[in-house]
Amino acid sequence: QSALTQPASVSGSPGQSITISCTGTSSDVGGYNFVSWYQQHPGKAPKLMIYDVTKRPSGVSNRFSGSKSGNTASLTISGLQAEDEADYYCCSYAGSSTYVVFGGGTKLTVL
Amino acid sequence: EVQLVDSGGGLVQPGGSLRLSCAASGFTFSSYAMSWVRQAPGKGLEWVSSISNSGGSTYYADSVKGRFTISRDNSKNTLYLQMNSLRAEDTALYYCAKVPPTGYSDVWYFDLWGRGTLVTVSS
């Protein structure tokens, strides 16, 4: 069982917006502003999409945005495109003993 | 080209050992912390271990503490993971990953990943 809880799957049509939630505790997501999100296409390595809750690395589309409220972080993808179909993982700092926890992953299907 | 090339995976019996390597190129390896992240077949991501840019500080997940050792050779631009006392549950694709500067010694993001090397622990 993963430390962070994500929905197993979400779906949306091209052009729509979707949001993936990531629920943790006050010891990880809620306690620090160190949440990141990764995109993973089948058979490929993960790619960093969001860090520090809301920041996008250079080269990542501004259709991807992150937010946090309490113990739940969220990834929103606007203007869905076929190429966005992938698995998405949230990740959080969890203090100076556990350090890093990941969510179980969410499969995004673009209908 | 900026890249990481993982290698060293294979089939090993329970209780056995294996050493993974990760060759870095295209960036100043000695300036960045590095990490290992694994993914069991059909499962999610799990952080395994991280090391500071100098190699002076190392960090481990509880699941591997005391069995795995992370190290680096900055003269060879190479990261290592020595895995001992391997168990069936260590079976996974192991990725090395570069950590961008975060301003904190134990906060890591992973902004460059290798393709992974598969470790299978089975008799």
Side-chain angles (χ1 to χ4, degrees):
Chain A
Q1 187 173 355
S2 301
L4 305 179
T5 300
Q6 299 180 232
S9 63
V10 298
S11 62
S13 299
Q16 290 186 331
S17 295
I18 62 95
T19 297
I20 300 172
S21 62
C22 170
T23 301
T25 69
S26 58
S27 296
D28 38 64
V29 173
Y32 311 94
N33 289 319
F34 298 132
V35 175
S36 54
W37 290 88
Y38 298 85
Q39 176 193 64
Q40 186 178 35
H41 288 108
K44 301 294 187 181
K47 175 185 177 182
L48 178 64
M49 304 302 285
I50 295 287
Y51 67 99
D52 285 352
V53 180
T54 62
K55 298 176 182 176
R56 279 188 310 276
S58 174
V60 172
S61 171
N62 60 8
R63 297 185 298 105
F64 291 83
S65 62
S67 63
K68 191 186 84 167
S69 177
N71 296 337
T72 298
S74 298
L75 173 71
T76 297
I77 308 174
S78 60
L80 268 180
Q81 300 179 0
E83 67 205 49
D84 299 331
E85 185 163 292
D87 293 327
Y88 291 85
Y89 294 91
C90 64
C91 179
S92 176
Y93 177 71
S96 58
S97 177
T98 303
Y99 299 112
V100 178
V101 289
F102 279 98
T106 298
K107 181 177 180 59
L108 169 62
T109 300
V110 180
L111 302 171
Chain B
E1 179 185 3
V2 177
Q3 66 175 355
L4 298 171
V5 179
D6 325 91
S7 62
L11 175 63
V12 60
Q13 293 187 340
S17 298
L18 213 54
R19 188 176 86 154
L20 307 184
S21 299
C22 171
S25 59
F27 64 97
T28 306
F29 180 70
S30 60
S31 295
Y32 297 93
M34 297 292 294
S35 297
W36 290 96
V37 178
R38 68 185 180 183
Q39 186 169 33
K43 302 297 184 182
L45 301 172
E46 179 188 15
W47 170 74
V48 173
S49 182
S50 295
I51 187 168
S52 63
N53 66 312
S54 67
S57 297
T58 57
Y59 310 83
Y60 298 94
D62 286 343
S63 58
V64 306
K65 198 174 298 181
R67 300 187 298 122
F68 289 12
T69 302
I70 191 172
S71 63
R72 63 191 297 162
D73 186 336
N74 286 343
S75 68
K76 295 182 178 179
N77 292 342
T78 303
L79 175 72
Y80 302 101
L81 185 68
Q82 178 66 43
M83 304 185 296
N84 298 330
S85 302
L86 282 161
R87 307 166 180 168
E89 53 264 37
D90 295 318
T91 294
L93 188 62
Y94 284 73
Y95 294 102
C96 67
K98 170 180 162 288
V99 176
T102 65
Y104 299 88
S105 61
D106 62 353
V107 174
W108 312 295
Y109 301 124
F110 314 112
D111 67 347
L112 177 66
W113 297 65
R115 291 190 172 185
T117 185
L118 182 62
V119 173
T120 303
V121 184
S122 175
S123 55

